[in-house]
Amino acid sequence: MATTKLSAPTSHWIGGVRPLNLRSSLRPEIRQVAATIRSGPYTEELVHTAKSIASPGRGILAIDESNATCGKRLSSIGLENTEANRQAYRQLLLTTPGLGEYISGAILFEETLYQSTTYGEKFVDCLRREKIVPGIKVDKGLVPLPGSNNESWCQGLDGLASRCAEYYKQGARFAKWRTVVSIPCGPSALAVKEAAWGLARYAAIAQDNGLVPIVEPEILLDGDHAIERTLEVAENVWAEVFFYLAQNSVVFEGILLKPSMVTPGAEHKEKASPETIAKYTLTMLKRRVPPAVPGIMFLSGGQSEVEATLNLNAMNQSTNPWHVSFSYARALQNTVLKTWQGQPENVEAAQKALLIRAKANSVAQLGRYSSQGEAEEAKKGMFQKGYTY
Ligand code: 13P
């Protein structure tokens, strides 16, 4: 990996987030960091984008459900899976006034990245107005992994460089690639290696095209195993992921992680407290994740909205080497959907519900959350066996 001074960046920056006079306006610590790592046309921008997403009291809203999964969300409130209904739902979420106070990034599905509101404003511009960085899901989903123990692998590397370049032009500044590891299925050494290698290739390609890669090897909640077993698997998975990230010369200062929390399997006889989950999760992260990584943005994985917030809060009771925050889909959307019910007259109430959840997680990111007064609906778990995204 060459260590050189950087040439002037060629890219333009995200509206609202990026100042115009780039080099002089970068915070000195970002300039210093960028000057000591692998040079590339986007290095400074990657470091800046990752830092701005990992900013205090903010996290990521994940609404990058594939059309099929978005259809499941819509059918849960009796709506058909049409482009117009997906647009209406995403419009509700992305035009919530004041969202940028708690949300620093939003992960979109390709359809949404190119879509506009019903009144003609691009969704990307709605986000920029709130100083929220637009992101894009770039993987092509999971398929069976031959030769494994009924496990899967994640597709999407073919043509990824040109897709990332197009997404950048469209306004995206970060990307997400979700692959999964199943504890009840092994995991086999083959499945772990494949997951780690795929994530590393994707991360290198995303960075080469100006997108901060979110690295997400989701360890599924499925199974009746104890928390110690999850810790063992998570340590193994993250060791391989970082081994291959380094082999692929990925700039650690310009990535974000999206891990599962270390919990017992969903069917284990005992539930763990937020304090226990925080202890195991932070132990795993401290053993495996270099402090050069700016942000750890957890997925919710089927936990209830309140559980996900309590666990995040517990992890922020101590000072951590990285920004420890959220990148939730289900744990930010459940109450919103139930409140909306597809009715235009409920949009305002549903947006308020989103702000309540976003604010709760923002407060949890700062370690100051209490679950007092939370609604019963927000305490309902959302785990589903064999969930696909
Ligand atoms: P959940 O928070 O629903 O587990 O979302 C997973 C995900 O990868 C969203 O981008």
Side-chain angles (χ1 to χ4, degrees), residues 63-77 79-83 85-87 89-90 93 109 111-112 333 337 340 387-389:
I63 57 160
D64 57 312
E65 294 88 354
S66 61
N67 286 351
T69 306
C70 191
K72 288 185 206 153
R73 302 247 195 279
L74 295 173
S75 86
S76 76
I77 55 167
L79 289 187
E80 248 186 274
N81 189 11
T82 60
E83 186 176 345
N85 284 339
R86 291 193 296 273
Q87 177 195 29
Y89 180 47
R90 266 89 188 233
L93 297 166
F109 191 59
E111 177 179 275
T112 321
Q333 292 182 42
L337 266 172
W340 178 43
Y387 177 77
T388 52
Y389 196 73

Side-chain angles (χ1 to χ4, degrees), residues 96-176:
T96 298
L99 193 62
E101 195 177 337
Y102 315 116
I103 300 294
S104 53
I107 319 175
L108 311 176
F109 191 59
E110 195 179 60
E111 177 179 275
T112 321
L113 182 71
Y114 289 88
Q115 221 168 26
S116 299
T117 63
T118 44
Y119 51 86
E121 187 178 12
K122 284 177 138 192
F123 281 134
V124 168
D125 292 331
C126 301
L127 291 172
R128 286 166 166 163
R129 221 176 337 104
E130 288 281 342
K131 303 204 182 343
I132 298 173
V133 183
I136 175 78
K137 171 189 172 77
V138 299
D139 68 73
K140 293 280 183 192
L142 301 164
V143 286
L145 177 64
S148 73
N149 189 20
N150 244 337
E151 295 160 282
S152 48
W153 70 290
C154 183
Q155 302 183 113
L157 290 176
D158 282 0
L160 181 60
S162 51
R163 282 194 292 125
C164 286
E166 276 307 310
Y167 297 148
Y168 184 95
K169 279 192 207 146
Q170 201 56 31
R173 290 294 177 274
F174 73 103
K176 171 198 134 167

Side-chain angles (χ1 to χ4, degrees), residues 201-266:
R201 289 303 312 136
Y202 136 77
I205 294 167
Q207 286 194 334
D208 221 34
N209 289 282
L211 303 180
V212 167
I214 290 194
V215 178
E216 181 181 2
E218 176 169 353
I219 297 171
L220 298 169
L221 273 181
D222 301 63
D224 58 7
H225 49 276
I227 195 166
E228 288 76 13
R229 175 70 184 137
T230 314
L231 176 66
E232 183 182 24
V233 171
E235 285 185 357
N236 180 16
V237 168
W238 281 106
E240 291 227 27
V241 170
F242 274 100
F243 175 73
Y244 290 125
L245 287 173
Q247 269 203 352
N248 281 275
S249 302
V250 169
V251 175
F252 288 1
E253 289 84 351
I255 63 173
L256 294 166
L257 307 187
K258 181 155 169 164
S260 316
M261 295 177 194
V262 177
T263 68

